[in-house]
Amino acid sequence: MRHVAILGATGSIGASTLDVVRRHPDRFRVVSLSAHRDIDRLAALAAEFRPARVAIADPSLLDALAARLRAIGATAEALAGATALETLAADPAADTVVAAIVGAAGLGSTLAAARAGKRILLANKEAVVLAGALLMPALAASGGELLPVDSEHNAIFQCLPRGYAGDPGRHGVERVILTASGGPFRSLPAAALARVTPEAACAHPNWRMGRKISVDSATLMNKGLEVIEAHWLFGLPAGRIEVVVHPQSVVHSLVAYRDGSVLAQLGQPDMRTAIAFGLGWPDRIEAGVAALDLAALARLDFEPPDRTRFPALDLAYQALEAGGTAPGVLNAANEVAVEAFLNARIGFTGIPTVVRDTLAAIPAEPVRDLDQLLAVDRAARAAALRSIAERA
Ligand code: NAD
Ligand code: MG
């Protein structure tokens, strides 16, 4: 029996995780759940899964959550605030932590889980982009495990030899190839990109996801963040991480070896496969995902990414090359710019512009500690807001 804490339980990854958990009552027990502000949904999940504790990130909602739990007869203890998320992540009652909060807001809890030696099912890529330099050593020191839930990294993990441990040379790994769907604007002319709406950006052709990652998929910043994520997870320099556009999202990613072999992992575009892989590891468990019918698919297409229409990808490569705090600056600026786009304060093509301005405004420093990273994150957000104000 594995004891699972699900942080970000009310989101898209949270829902897919609970769907897999629901199929295996003999294997998994939910010990805690968290949400940002949706107390009704959190309480309903508490009534169904009977966790010992639930946490709401917005501290002003603690009393309302407790009242809601009482009203529906759920016995879970209610906690609130950012520290409550860290408490759940480090809770001795949990051996597995699903890190499914979106954005830098998930960093504290993901790091707490790493320090506490948990098995982490990592969806919260922003935490690794911002703080891979702290997260990876923390996992090594605590004996924790990281199982990637991001479908590309999960695919790469599956295509690497067991016991890979971040040493490409020893295992003959030449490079990894991340696939990208290309997003909803893959074929849209450059001139039309400036006028696309948030609704159009969030209508992803293959995946149903939260709004932030949907916009990131449309700008290709999601792939840029994933390049940086792959650097930390697999110990690869930027030059050994490639991106190819694959509109069907069936080949989830590939690993190329010294002898010319290229291994790929294929499947439906359904996050439950990667989540079930992490939950069941090292066993394979049923995930509710339909079988793949290659003859019905008939074809798989590949093309290079358009780096001119989608400059966010190269901004991410530049931040990775600059190293230190630069990926954190990139991430913070992107979070602010995506929010501004969703609130109609900037246009779609303004997103990479704000990120570029912010990277130029804040020089990279070597990573020292969490306080420094959080200070850089704040400074980058302030600089991104200035860029938005100047360009509005
Ligand atoms: P979502 O917006 O659907 O859900 C986000 C979850 O985080 C919700 O439970 C929300 O309550 C919580 N949350 C939001 N802001 C918070 C805050 N400030 N403090 C605490 N909790 C907060 O997002 P999602 O699509 O489920 O994505 C979650 C993470 O997984 C992201 O990092 C995303 O990049 C990654 N991811 C998602 C998918 C996918 O298919 N959805 C695929 C790969 C990776
Ligand atoms: Mg992905």
Side-chain angles (χ1 to χ4, degrees):
M1 190 62 109
R2 294 206 70 95
H3 294 83
V4 187
I6 304 172
L7 306 180
T10 52
S12 158
I13 293 288
S16 293
T17 303
L18 289 165
D19 184 88
V20 176
V21 164
R22 217 179 256 122
R23 292 165 193 275
H24 301 278
D26 51 323
R27 277 183 175 267
F28 306 116
R29 176 151 173 59
V30 175
V31 298
S32 59
L33 298 167
S34 87
H36 187 204
R37 293 200 178 103
D38 190 348
I39 54 172
D40 289 346
R41 178 95 193 106
L42 185 59
L45 292 175
E48 180 185 352
F49 290 95
R50 307 250 146 217
R53 306 205 266 186
V54 295
I56 195 82
D58 181 338
S60 71
L61 294 171
L62 178 60
D63 292 345
L65 174 62
R68 188 88 197 94
L69 288 168
R70 272 196 307 277
I72 62 173
T75 54
E77 179 194 356
L79 290 74
T83 54
L85 302 175
E86 294 174 29
T87 303
L88 297 189
D91 185 350
D95 50 56
T96 302
V97 175
V98 181
I101 291 173
V102 58
L107 173 59
S109 53
T110 304
L111 198 54
R115 288 178 172 152
K118 305 299 184 191
R119 168 179 289 183
I120 302 176
L121 271 58
L122 183 87
N124 179 213
K125 67 189 85 186
E126 295 91 348
V128 192
V129 168
L130 173 56
L134 303 181
L135 205 54
M136 300 313 286
L139 275 165
S142 70
E145 296 177 279
L146 193 156
L147 297 172
V149 163
D150 213 349
S151 59
E152 297 77 6
H153 306 75
N154 184 266
I156 292 167
F157 185 92
Q158 295 196 44
C159 295
L160 286 170
R162 279 275 185 111
Y164 169 75
D167 186 354
R170 190 160 79 82
H171 297 280
V173 172
E174 286 284 329
R175 64 206 159 96
V176 298
I177 304 158
L178 300 175
T179 53
S181 70
F185 308 136
R186 181 172 60 88
S187 324
L188 203 67
L193 277 179
R195 291 184 307 276
V196 300
T197 62
E199 286 61 42
C202 289
H204 195 276
N206 304 336
W207 304 93
R208 291 286 147 265
M209 309 182 288
R211 282 165 77 79
K212 192 264 179 181
I213 184 176
S214 296
V215 175
D216 286 348
S217 298
T219 59
L220 287 198
M221 182 58 90
N222 182 52
K223 215 46 55 181
L225 298 175
E226 291 182 355
V227 167
I228 301 170
E229 181 184 12
H231 161 75
W232 287 112
L233 264 46
F234 307 119
L236 294 164
R240 288 177 184 264
I241 307 169
E242 269 177 31
V243 172
V244 68
V245 171
H246 166 48
Q248 291 92 351
S249 299
V250 165
V251 176
H252 294 319
S253 279
L254 314 89
V255 177
Y257 287 87
R258 187 183 288 154
D259 60 7
S261 289
V262 178
L263 301 193
Q265 186 260 356
L266 282 68
Q268 300 283 1
D270 186 324
M271 291 307 294
R272 290 176 300 177
T273 297
I275 292 165
F277 180 92
L279 283 172
W281 171 259
D283 296 345
R284 295 273 184 174
I285 62 172
E286 203 268 324
V289 176
L292 192 63
D293 183 343
L294 286 174
L297 266 170
R299 57 185 286 176
L300 300 172
D301 296 305
F302 300 94
E303 64 193 42
D306 185 333
R307 305 181 111 95
T308 313
R309 273 185 309 139
F310 302 107
L313 181 59
D314 280 339
L315 290 173
Y317 270 104
Q318 283 160 27
L320 177 55
E321 295 282 11
T325 53
V329 171
L330 172 96
N331 177 67
N334 182 58
E335 287 191 31
V336 169
V338 169
E339 181 76 21
F341 168 68
L342 287 171
N343 294 327
R345 295 190 54 214
I346 59 172
F348 184 76
T349 49
I351 298 172
T353 307
V354 168
V355 173
R356 185 182 293 114
D357 284 354
T358 309
L359 280 170
I362 302 193
E365 312 163 13
V367 173
R368 290 190 308 274
D369 54 34
L370 184 59
D371 285 345
Q372 172 211 18
L373 287 178
L374 295 176
V376 170
D377 177 81
R378 281 192 298 274
R381 283 168 200 271
L385 286 172
R386 281 195 298 276
S387 162
I388 290 167
E390 281 160 17
R391 288 172 184 280

